[in-house]
Amino acid sequence: MDRKLFLITALALALFSGIAIFAVTSFTSLTQRHDFEVNRAQSDIWVISQLSLELERTLHALHMYTQSGSTLTHKDVALRYDLLWSRIPPILRDHETKHLRTFAEINNTVTELKNTLTQLDPLIATLKRDDFEQMIVIQGALLPFSSRLSRLASLVMSNTSQFEEAYSQGVNERTQKLKVSVAVILLGAFLMVGLLVIESLQIRKLLAHARNSEQRAEEASQAKSSFLANMSHELRTPLTGIIGFSGMMEQETMGPLPPKYKEYAGDIEKSGKHLLDLINDILDLSKAEANKIELDADIHDVEDIIAQSERLVAGLLETYSVHVVTDIAEKLPEIRVDRRRVVQCVVNLLSNAIKFSPDGSKVLLTAAPTSGGGLSIDIHDQGKGMSAGDLKIAMQPFGQIRHGPDVQHEPGTGLGLPLVKLMMDLHGGDLEIISTPDQGTTARLVFPPASAVKRYKDDGRDGSGESYIFTGR
């Protein structure tokens, strides 16, 4: 099972279990509360009824005590009287009868009965069988409470019935609301789980589509790489022969040629070299985009790299009558780079600057440290410059900017700037281009602080000679 579907299932089970526990707990709580309230109401009835019953028994005992031939003794009457007393304190003090004391009439009646019994205690203690006057006083004091307690017992019973009915109705209403709430929660839970399942299935579908797309892209990339490798081999071999033979014809190695044929041979050589450059650039761009270029990094002197680059564009300088002015800062740190790739970048930028500069103009080539501890190589020309839109086109593979007829240049491959950008990315650096129409262009190669290498002289720990310590900052 898919891990996400498993988690969703576990979540759904946990959710439904929680809802079930909540529902059972809520119903149980309502039932328990209902039972408690009913028992409490019934307890109230029993307490008042017992008090009323004990009062009637006490009155009956007093009456029988005065009858001739009665077997009741004074001790029996006193015991019945004590039982009546025992019913009063729980009503006035116990927590279980707290609800009864909220009824003012009950509380007042029981309190008056207590006070009355307190006053009758001496009379009961000295009561004799033939003392009719004292018996009349006792009975006269207790008889009014008999009717009052009977009425209160009926009242509590009536209130209890009404309370039970009202409370049962309330419980039923709360139960219905609880059922609706549980139903809504269950519906929401089902919807949520359903949405999660749908989302999980959609994500799985998208992931499968992405994997298929990635696989197709890898297959296409492999096919492209294989095609380019085969094509480069198939094209480079005849191109080498074409360039070599056309060069021999142009130099008239095997004998003089008519001027027109000699010109044609020169055109063939130039076209062959252009095509070879195009093939090499396409291969380099393809490798760089696929991250298959491995840098052969080593420590090199910036001045040597610039000098080599100038030698490689010497022919262009003669063709376009452009002069390169070099300005290299003093005490410039060395750089840890792939020399061939950096020379390729500088030559590409120099070639563009020369080709797009007016005859007789200057191209300024500078190298200086950056404020962050890195190093930059700037190439500034006095050409037509580029707008933001032109620059965007120039940075795209095969993108070419067409200028007016006053600036003559050979058509390029349109891969120079994209290649330079990719090469600088591989070095952890950047390519910055600042250009303004009619004010020229500055192309800047920025190398990070990690590429800059400073050398510090040391006598050597073993005393054998001079050694160097390299740091990247």
Side-chain angles (χ1 to χ4, degrees):
M1 182 183 291
D2 184 77
R3 182 180 178 184
K4 191 162 187 177
L5 285 176
F6 176 79
L7 291 176
I8 291 174
T9 304
L11 176 63
L13 290 175
L15 184 61
F16 292 143
S17 299
I19 294 172
I21 293 173
F22 167 74
V24 171
T25 304
S26 299
F27 283 122
T28 303
S29 176
L30 284 174
T31 303
Q32 291 176 345
R33 182 65 180 174
H34 176 264
D35 292 342
F36 172 78
E37 293 295 339
V38 170
N39 291 334
R40 184 185 58 76
Q42 292 176 349
S43 175
D44 291 346
I45 297 174
W46 184 84
V47 168
I48 296 298
S49 299
Q50 287 298 311
L51 179 60
S52 178
L53 179 62
E54 287 299 334
L55 179 60
E56 293 297 330
R57 287 175 177 175
T58 301
L59 289 172
H60 179 71
L62 289 170
H63 175 71
M64 293 299 298
Y65 183 62
T66 59
Q67 298 295 318
S68 60
S70 174
T71 60
L72 287 178
T73 64
H74 181 272
K75 185 177 180 180
D76 294 332
V77 174
L79 179 61
R80 180 56 59 187
Y81 184 79
D82 289 339
L83 287 175
L84 174 60
W85 252 116
S86 67
R87 297 294 182 184
I88 294 177
I91 299 176
L92 297 178
R93 292 198 300 266
D94 286 1
H95 178 75
E96 289 76 7
T97 58
K98 181 180 179 181
H99 180 260
L100 274 178
R101 294 195 292 275
T102 59
F103 295 95
E105 188 174 358
I106 293 176
N107 191 57
N108 293 336
T109 300
V110 174
T111 302
E112 290 177 11
L113 178 60
K114 174 187 174 184
N115 296 332
T116 300
L117 292 178
T118 302
Q119 295 172 359
L120 293 178
D121 280 343
L123 299 179
I124 295 294
T126 60
L127 181 65
K128 295 180 179 180
R129 189 182 298 274
D130 56 353
D131 192 350
F132 294 105
E133 292 182 3
Q134 193 169 345
M135 184 68 67
I136 291 172
V137 172
I138 295 172
Q139 289 180 340
L142 294 179
L143 277 175
F145 288 101
S146 178
S147 59
R148 290 174 66 179
L149 288 176
S150 298
R151 185 172 58 81
L152 287 176
S154 301
L155 177 63
V156 170
M157 187 176 297
S158 175
N159 289 339
T160 299
S161 300
Q162 295 177 2
F163 169 78
E164 288 184 5
E165 183 179 354
Y167 193 81
S168 298
Q169 184 178 357
V171 169
N172 292 333
E173 291 177 356
R174 287 194 293 272
T175 302
Q176 292 300 323
K177 291 180 180 179
L178 182 60
K179 289 180 180 179
V180 173
S181 299
V182 171
V184 171
I185 293 173
L186 282 173
L187 180 60
F190 276 117
L191 289 176
M192 184 183 71
V193 173
L195 290 175
L196 287 174
V197 171
I198 292 172
E199 182 184 4
S200 177
L201 294 176
Q202 289 178 343
I203 291 175
R204 291 180 65 185
K205 185 177 179 181
L206 290 174
L207 288 175
H209 180 71
R211 284 194 290 268
N212 292 335
S213 299
E214 182 180 1
Q215 184 178 359
R216 288 196 297 269
E218 289 179 357
E219 292 174 354
S221 178
Q222 291 176 357
K224 182 183 74 172
S225 299
S226 177
F227 170 77
L228 291 174
N230 293 332
M231 288 299 295
S232 65
H233 176 73
E234 296 296 333
L235 291 174
R236 278 175 170 172
T237 301
L239 272 177
T240 302
I242 292 172
I243 293 172
F245 288 125
S246 60
M248 291 175 58
M249 294 173 63
E250 185 181 16
Q251 296 174 9
E252 299 180 329
T253 303
M254 304 302 294
L257 289 175
K260 200 65 177 176
Y261 284 1
K262 185 177 179 180
E263 181 182 351
Y264 289 160
D267 293 338
I268 292 172
E269 183 182 14
K270 289 180 181 179
S271 298
K273 289 181 178 179
H274 176 73
L275 184 56
L276 185 60
D277 290 340
L278 177 62
I279 293 171
N280 291 333
D281 287 347
I282 291 175
L283 284 173
D284 287 341
L285 184 65
S286 177
K287 290 180 180 178
E289 289 178 342
N291 293 323
K292 292 184 178 179
I293 291 183
E294 296 183 1
L295 298 180
D296 183 16
D298 202 353
I299 300 173
H300 300 282
D301 186 74
V302 178
E303 191 171 355
D304 291 343
I305 291 176
I306 291 177
Q308 181 182 354
S309 302
E310 286 183 301
R311 289 193 297 271
L312 292 175
V313 297
L316 282 176
L317 293 174
E318 294 178 1
T319 301
Y320 291 95
S321 301
V322 175
H323 181 59
V324 175
V325 178
T326 304
D327 182 13
I328 301 177
E330 295 182 358
K331 298 182 180 179
L332 198 65
E334 295 173 292
I335 54 175
R336 191 191 306 271
V337 293
D338 186 328
R339 181 187 182 99
R340 185 172 69 87
R341 298 299 181 183
V342 174
V343 169
Q344 182 182 3
C345 292
V346 176
V347 168
N348 273 335
L349 297 179
L350 268 178
S351 300
N352 286 341
I354 293 169
K355 290 177 182 179
F356 288 94
S357 295
D359 289 346
S361 62
K362 296 179 181 180
V363 173
L364 180 61
L365 174 58
T366 63
T370 62
S371 59
L375 184 142
S376 68
I377 298 175
D378 291 13
I379 300 170
H380 176 71
D381 64 55
Q382 299 174 340
K384 287 288 186 179
M386 294 180 289
S387 64
D390 291 339
L391 182 58
K392 188 174 181 180
I393 294 174
M395 292 302 298
Q396 299 296 323
F398 302 104
Q400 296 185 356
I401 306 300
R402 304 298 179 183
H403 289 281
D406 54 329
V407 177
Q408 301 295 329
H409 61 271
E410 297 178 1
T413 62
L415 296 174
L417 291 180
L419 263 177
V420 173
K421 174 64 176 172
L422 287 173
M423 295 301 175
M424 291 304 299
D425 289 343
L426 290 174
H427 281 87
D430 195 14
L431 168 64
E432 298 177 1
I433 297 180
I434 305 170
S435 186
T436 304
D438 301 323
Q439 294 185 19
T441 300
T442 298
R444 178 174 298 146
L445 301 177
V446 181
F447 296 91
S451 297
V453 177
K454 294 181 180 179
R455 296 179 182 261
Y456 299 91
K457 289 187 177 181
D458 192 0
D459 292 336
R461 295 179 181 178
D462 56 359
S464 59
E466 196 175 57
S467 63
Y468 296 90
I469 301 173
F470 307 147
T471 65
R473 194 172 177 86

PDB file of all heavy atoms in Angstrom, residues 150-175:
ATOM      1  N   SER A 150     -47.255  17.457  55.519  1.00  0.00           N
ATOM      2  CA  SER A 150     -47.967  16.675  54.500  1.00  0.00           C
ATOM      3  C   SER A 150     -48.119  17.478  53.222  1.00  0.00           C
ATOM      4  O   SER A 150     -47.949  16.967  52.102  1.00  0.00           O
ATOM      5  CB  SER A 150     -49.349  16.257  55.039  1.00  0.00           C
ATOM      6  OG  SER A 150     -49.219  15.432  56.181  1.00  0.00           O
ATOM      7  N   ARG A 151     -48.474  18.761  53.414  1.00  0.00           N
ATOM      8  CA  ARG A 151     -48.625  19.619  52.221  1.00  0.00           C
ATOM      9  C   ARG A 151     -47.275  19.794  51.509  1.00  0.00           C
ATOM     10  O   ARG A 151     -47.204  19.783  50.279  1.00  0.00           O
ATOM     11  CB  ARG A 151     -49.189  20.966  52.658  1.00  0.00           C
ATOM     12  CG  ARG A 151     -49.496  21.907  51.477  1.00  0.00           C
ATOM     13  CD  ARG A 151     -50.236  23.137  51.983  1.00  0.00           C
ATOM     14  NE  ARG A 151     -49.470  23.835  52.998  1.00  0.00           N
ATOM     15  CZ  ARG A 151     -48.469  24.695  52.706  1.00  0.00           C
ATOM     16  NH1 ARG A 151     -48.136  24.912  51.456  1.00  0.00           N
ATOM     17  NH2 ARG A 151     -47.829  25.311  53.694  1.00  0.00           N
ATOM     18  N   LEU A 152     -46.190  19.965  52.300  1.00  0.00           N
ATOM     19  CA  LEU A 152     -44.863  20.140  51.686  1.00  0.00           C
ATOM     20  C   LEU A 152     -44.420  18.864  50.951  1.00  0.00           C
ATOM     21  O   LEU A 152     -43.794  18.937  49.883  1.00  0.00           O
ATOM     22  CB  LEU A 152     -43.834  20.505  52.758  1.00  0.00           C
ATOM     23  CG  LEU A 152     -43.926  21.926  53.327  1.00  0.00           C
ATOM     24  CD1 LEU A 152     -42.907  22.118  54.438  1.00  0.00           C
ATOM     25  CD2 LEU A 152     -43.710  22.961  52.218  1.00  0.00           C
ATOM     26  N   ALA A 153     -44.738  17.710  51.516  1.00  0.00           N
ATOM     27  CA  ALA A 153     -44.389  16.448  50.843  1.00  0.00           C
ATOM     28  C   ALA A 153     -45.104  16.343  49.506  1.00  0.00           C
ATOM     29  O   ALA A 153     -44.515  15.937  48.483  1.00  0.00           O
ATOM     30  CB  ALA A 153     -44.740  15.267  51.741  1.00  0.00           C
ATOM     31  N   SER A 154     -46.396  16.732  49.487  1.00  0.00           N
ATOM     32  CA  SER A 154     -47.143  16.723  48.222  1.00  0.00           C
ATOM     33  C   SER A 154     -46.556  17.726  47.231  1.00  0.00           C
ATOM     34  O   SER A 154     -46.438  17.466  46.018  1.00  0.00           O
ATOM     35  CB  SER A 154     -48.614  17.045  48.482  1.00  0.00           C
ATOM     36  OG  SER A 154     -49.180  16.104  49.362  1.00  0.00           O
ATOM     37  N   LEU A 155     -46.169  18.905  47.750  1.00  0.00           N
ATOM     38  CA  LEU A 155     -45.589  19.931  46.890  1.00  0.00           C
ATOM     39  C   LEU A 155     -44.262  19.459  46.275  1.00  0.00           C
ATOM     40  O   LEU A 155     -44.021  19.642  45.076  1.00  0.00           O
ATOM     41  CB  LEU A 155     -45.369  21.212  47.700  1.00  0.00           C
ATOM     42  CG  LEU A 155     -44.699  22.389  46.947  1.00  0.00           C
ATOM     43  CD1 LEU A 155     -45.593  22.838  45.792  1.00  0.00           C
ATOM     44  CD2 LEU A 155     -44.432  23.552  47.902  1.00  0.00           C
ATOM     45  N   VAL A 156     -43.390  18.859  47.112  1.00  0.00           N
ATOM     46  CA  VAL A 156     -42.103  18.357  46.596  1.00  0.00           C
ATOM     47  C   VAL A 156     -42.326  17.273  45.560  1.00  0.00           C
ATOM     48  O   VAL A 156     -41.649  17.215  44.530  1.00  0.00           O
ATOM     49  CB  VAL A 156     -41.241  17.829  47.762  1.00  0.00           C
ATOM     50  CG1 VAL A 156     -40.026  17.080  47.237  1.00  0.00           C
ATOM     51  CG2 VAL A 156     -40.815  18.966  48.664  1.00  0.00           C
ATOM     52  N   MET A 157     -43.334  16.402  45.829  1.00  0.00           N
ATOM     53  CA  MET A 157     -43.622  15.332  44.867  1.00  0.00           C
ATOM     54  C   MET A 157     -44.090  15.905  43.535  1.00  0.00           C
ATOM     55  O   MET A 157     -43.671  15.468  42.459  1.00  0.00           O
ATOM     56  CB  MET A 157     -44.690  14.395  45.450  1.00  0.00           C
ATOM     57  CG  MET A 157     -44.943  13.155  44.628  1.00  0.00           C
ATOM     58  SD  MET A 157     -46.128  12.038  45.414  1.00  0.00           S
ATOM     59  CE  MET A 157     -45.240  11.625  46.915  1.00  0.00           C
ATOM     60  N   SER A 158     -44.931  16.918  43.611  1.00  0.00           N
ATOM     61  CA  SER A 158     -45.428  17.555  42.390  1.00  0.00           C
ATOM     62  C   SER A 158     -44.291  18.239  41.634  1.00  0.00           C
ATOM     63  O   SER A 158     -44.153  18.108  40.409  1.00  0.00           O
ATOM     64  CB  SER A 158     -46.524  18.564  42.736  1.00  0.00           C
ATOM     65  OG  SER A 158     -46.938  19.277  41.595  1.00  0.00           O
ATOM     66  N   ASN A 159     -43.467  18.986  42.379  1.00  0.00           N
ATOM     67  CA  ASN A 159     -42.325  19.662  41.746  1.00  0.00           C
ATOM     68  C   ASN A 159     -41.352  18.662  41.127  1.00  0.00           C
ATOM     69  O   ASN A 159     -40.775  18.897  40.065  1.00  0.00           O
ATOM     70  CB  ASN A 159     -41.592  20.532  42.765  1.00  0.00           C
ATOM     71  CG  ASN A 159     -42.399  21.768  43.148  1.00  0.00           C
ATOM     72  OD1 ASN A 159     -43.293  22.179  42.407  1.00  0.00           O
ATOM     73  ND2 ASN A 159     -42.098  22.343  44.309  1.00  0.00           N
ATOM     74  N   THR A 160     -41.188  17.537  41.854  1.00  0.00           N
ATOM     75  CA  THR A 160     -40.270  16.509  41.342  1.00  0.00           C
ATOM     76  C   THR A 160     -40.775  15.937  40.030  1.00  0.00           C
ATOM     77  O   THR A 160     -40.010  15.721  39.081  1.00  0.00           O
ATOM     78  CB  THR A 160     -40.093  15.393  42.377  1.00  0.00           C
ATOM     79  OG1 THR A 160     -39.535  15.943  43.563  1.00  0.00           O
ATOM     80  CG2 THR A 160     -39.184  14.302  41.853  1.00  0.00           C
ATOM     81  N   SER A 161     -42.083  15.693  39.956  1.00  0.00           N
ATOM     82  CA  SER A 161     -42.659  15.161  38.712  1.00  0.00           C
ATOM     83  C   SER A 161     -42.461  16.148  37.566  1.00  0.00           C
ATOM     84  O   SER A 161     -42.069  15.767  36.442  1.00  0.00           O
ATOM     85  CB  SER A 161     -44.145  14.854  38.913  1.00  0.00           C
ATOM     86  OG  SER A 161     -44.321  13.891  39.934  1.00  0.00           O
ATOM     87  N   GLN A 162     -42.735  17.419  37.848  1.00  0.00           N
ATOM     88  CA  GLN A 162     -42.540  18.436  36.820  1.00  0.00           C
ATOM     89  C   GLN A 162     -41.065  18.557  36.431  1.00  0.00           C
ATOM     90  O   GLN A 162     -40.721  18.718  35.244  1.00  0.00           O
ATOM     91  CB  GLN A 162     -43.067  19.782  37.319  1.00  0.00           C
ATOM     92  CG  GLN A 162     -44.577  19.823  37.543  1.00  0.00           C
ATOM     93  CD  GLN A 162     -45.019  21.155  38.110  1.00  0.00           C
ATOM     94  OE1 GLN A 162     -44.222  22.067  38.311  1.00  0.00           O
ATOM     95  NE2 GLN A 162     -46.328  21.248  38.392  1.00  0.00           N
ATOM     96  N   PHE A 163     -40.192  18.497  37.450  1.00  0.00           N
ATOM     97  CA  PHE A 163     -38.766  18.595  37.169  1.00  0.00           C
ATOM     98  C   PHE A 163     -38.290  17.428  36.300  1.00  0.00           C
ATOM     99  O   PHE A 163     -37.521  17.612  35.345  1.00  0.00           O
ATOM    100  CB  PHE A 163     -37.990  18.635  38.484  1.00  0.00           C
ATOM    101  CG  PHE A 163     -36.504  18.478  38.305  1.00  0.00           C
ATOM    102  CD1 PHE A 163     -35.734  19.547  37.869  1.00  0.00           C
ATOM    103  CD2 PHE A 163     -35.892  17.250  38.549  1.00  0.00           C
ATOM    104  CE1 PHE A 163     -34.367  19.383  37.690  1.00  0.00           C
ATOM    105  CE2 PHE A 163     -34.538  17.095  38.374  1.00  0.00           C
ATOM    106  CZ  PHE A 163     -33.767  18.161  37.944  1.00  0.00           C
ATOM    107  N   GLU A 164     -38.742  16.205  36.683  1.00  0.00           N
ATOM    108  CA  GLU A 164     -38.336  15.041  35.905  1.00  0.00           C
ATOM    109  C   GLU A 164     -38.799  15.164  34.461  1.00  0.00           C
ATOM    110  O   GLU A 164     -38.057  14.846  33.520  1.00  0.00           O
ATOM    111  CB  GLU A 164     -38.905  13.770  36.535  1.00  0.00           C
ATOM    112  CG  GLU A 164     -38.237  13.374  37.834  1.00  0.00           C
ATOM    113  CD  GLU A 164     -38.784  12.064  38.360  1.00  0.00           C
ATOM    114  OE1 GLU A 164     -39.608  11.431  37.653  1.00  0.00           O
ATOM    115  OE2 GLU A 164     -38.394  11.650  39.460  1.00  0.00           O
ATOM    116  N   GLU A 165     -40.011  15.625  34.288  1.00  0.00           N
ATOM    117  CA  GLU A 165     -40.539  15.772  32.927  1.00  0.00           C
ATOM    118  C   GLU A 165     -39.743  16.818  32.141  1.00  0.00           C
ATOM    119  O   GLU A 165     -39.350  16.592  30.992  1.00  0.00           O
ATOM    120  CB  GLU A 165     -42.015  16.171  32.998  1.00  0.00           C
ATOM    121  CG  GLU A 165     -42.665  16.287  31.621  1.00  0.00           C
ATOM    122  CD  GLU A 165     -44.142  16.670  31.735  1.00  0.00           C
ATOM    123  OE1 GLU A 165     -44.665  16.722  32.867  1.00  0.00           O
ATOM    124  OE2 GLU A 165     -44.760  16.921  30.674  1.00  0.00           O
ATOM    125  N   ALA A 166     -39.491  17.979  32.793  1.00  0.00           N
ATOM    126  CA  ALA A 166     -38.748  19.039  32.112  1.00  0.00           C
ATOM    127  C   ALA A 166     -37.308  18.610  31.839  1.00  0.00           C
ATOM    128  O   ALA A 166     -36.748  18.868  30.758  1.00  0.00           O
ATOM    129  CB  ALA A 166     -38.765  20.312  32.949  1.00  0.00           C
ATOM    130  N   TYR A 167     -36.702  17.959  32.847  1.00  0.00           N
ATOM    131  CA  TYR A 167     -35.310  17.553  32.668  1.00  0.00           C
ATOM    132  C   TYR A 167     -35.197  16.471  31.596  1.00  0.00           C
ATOM    133  O   TYR A 167     -34.263  16.478  30.787  1.00  0.00           O
ATOM    134  CB  TYR A 167     -34.745  17.050  33.994  1.00  0.00           C
ATOM    135  CG  TYR A 167     -33.249  16.902  33.958  1.00  0.00           C
ATOM    136  CD1 TYR A 167     -32.416  18.010  34.132  1.00  0.00           C
ATOM    137  CD2 TYR A 167     -32.662  15.654  33.739  1.00  0.00           C
ATOM    138  CE1 TYR A 167     -31.046  17.881  34.093  1.00  0.00           C
ATOM    139  CE2 TYR A 167     -31.287  15.520  33.696  1.00  0.00           C
ATOM    140  CZ  TYR A 167     -30.477  16.633  33.876  1.00  0.00           C
ATOM    141  OH  TYR A 167     -29.123  16.499  33.819  1.00  0.00           O
ATOM    142  N   SER A 168     -36.150  15.539  31.578  1.00  0.00           N
ATOM    143  CA  SER A 168     -36.138  14.500  30.539  1.00  0.00           C
ATOM    144  C   SER A 168     -36.280  15.112  29.157  1.00  0.00           C
ATOM    145  O   SER A 168     -35.614  14.701  28.195  1.00  0.00           O
ATOM    146  CB  SER A 168     -37.262  13.491  30.792  1.00  0.00           C
ATOM    147  OG  SER A 168     -37.076  12.841  32.025  1.00  0.00           O
ATOM    148  N   GLN A 169     -37.158  16.121  29.068  1.00  0.00           N
ATOM    149  CA  GLN A 169     -37.317  16.805  27.790  1.00  0.00           C
ATOM    150  C   GLN A 169     -36.011  17.504  27.386  1.00  0.00           C
ATOM    151  O   GLN A 169     -35.604  17.457  26.221  1.00  0.00           O
ATOM    152  CB  GLN A 169     -38.451  17.826  27.884  1.00  0.00           C
ATOM    153  CG  GLN A 169     -38.749  18.521  26.554  1.00  0.00           C
ATOM    154  CD  GLN A 169     -39.918  19.487  26.671  1.00  0.00           C
ATOM    155  OE1 GLN A 169     -40.549  19.594  27.730  1.00  0.00           O
ATOM    156  NE2 GLN A 169     -40.211  20.189  25.589  1.00  0.00           N
ATOM    157  N   GLY A 170     -35.354  18.141  28.373  1.00  0.00           N
ATOM    158  CA  GLY A 170     -34.075  18.797  28.080  1.00  0.00           C
ATOM    159  C   GLY A 170     -33.013  17.803  27.643  1.00  0.00           C
ATOM    160  O   GLY A 170     -32.231  18.060  26.724  1.00  0.00           O
ATOM    161  N   VAL A 171     -32.985  16.659  28.339  1.00  0.00           N
ATOM    162  CA  VAL A 171     -32.026  15.622  27.965  1.00  0.00           C
ATOM    163  C   VAL A 171     -32.288  15.121  26.553  1.00  0.00           C
ATOM    164  O   VAL A 171     -31.366  14.914  25.754  1.00  0.00           O
ATOM    165  CB  VAL A 171     -32.068  14.456  28.979  1.00  0.00           C
ATOM    166  CG1 VAL A 171     -31.280  13.258  28.459  1.00  0.00           C
ATOM    167  CG2 VAL A 171     -31.512  14.906  30.314  1.00  0.00           C
ATOM    168  N   ASN A 172     -33.571  14.937  26.226  1.00  0.00           N
ATOM    169  CA  ASN A 172     -33.917  14.499  24.876  1.00  0.00           C
ATOM    170  C   ASN A 172     -33.475  15.516  23.825  1.00  0.00           C
ATOM    171  O   ASN A 172     -32.960  15.156  22.765  1.00  0.00           O
ATOM    172  CB  ASN A 172     -35.422  14.244  24.770  1.00  0.00           C
ATOM    173  CG  ASN A 172     -35.854  13.045  25.583  1.00  0.00           C
ATOM    174  OD1 ASN A 172     -35.066  12.129  25.815  1.00  0.00           O
ATOM    175  ND2 ASN A 172     -37.105  13.033  26.026  1.00  0.00           N
ATOM    176  N   GLU A 173     -33.697  16.804  24.133  1.00  0.00           N
ATOM    177  CA  GLU A 173     -33.283  17.844  23.187  1.00  0.00           C
ATOM    178  C   GLU A 173     -31.764  17.856  23.016  1.00  0.00           C
ATOM    179  O   GLU A 173     -31.249  17.956  21.895  1.00  0.00           O
ATOM    180  CB  GLU A 173     -33.769  19.213  23.678  1.00  0.00           C
ATOM    181  CG  GLU A 173     -35.283  19.390  23.626  1.00  0.00           C
ATOM    182  CD  GLU A 173     -35.721  20.722  24.198  1.00  0.00           C
ATOM    183  OE1 GLU A 173     -34.839  21.456  24.702  1.00  0.00           O
ATOM    184  OE2 GLU A 173     -36.932  21.028  24.124  1.00  0.00           O
ATOM    185  N   ARG A 174     -31.042  17.754  24.162  1.00  0.00           N
ATOM    186  CA  ARG A 174     -29.578  17.732  24.058  1.00  0.00           C
ATOM    187  C   ARG A 174     -29.092  16.486  23.332  1.00  0.00           C
ATOM    188  O   ARG A 174     -28.102  16.516  22.584  1.00  0.00           O
ATOM    189  CB  ARG A 174     -28.957  17.810  25.460  1.00  0.00           C
ATOM    190  CG  ARG A 174     -29.085  19.195  26.089  1.00  0.00           C
ATOM    191  CD  ARG A 174     -28.170  19.322  27.309  1.00  0.00           C
ATOM    192  NE  ARG A 174     -28.591  18.456  28.397  1.00  0.00           N
ATOM    193  CZ  ARG A 174     -29.460  18.791  29.331  1.00  0.00           C
ATOM    194  NH1 ARG A 174     -30.033  19.991  29.303  1.00  0.00           N
ATOM    195  NH2 ARG A 174     -29.767  17.955  30.299  1.00  0.00           N
ATOM    196  N   THR A 175     -29.813  15.383  23.538  1.00  0.00           N
ATOM    197  CA  THR A 175     -29.443  14.147  22.848  1.00  0.00           C
ATOM    198  C   THR A 175     -29.613  14.292  21.340  1.00  0.00           C
ATOM    199  O   THR A 175     -28.759  13.862  20.549  1.00  0.00           O
ATOM    200  CB  THR A 175     -30.291  12.974  23.364  1.00  0.00           C
ATOM    201  OG1 THR A 175     -30.103  12.839  24.771  1.00  0.00           O
ATOM    202  CG2 THR A 175     -29.891  11.683  22.675  1.00  0.00           C
TER     203      THR A 175
END
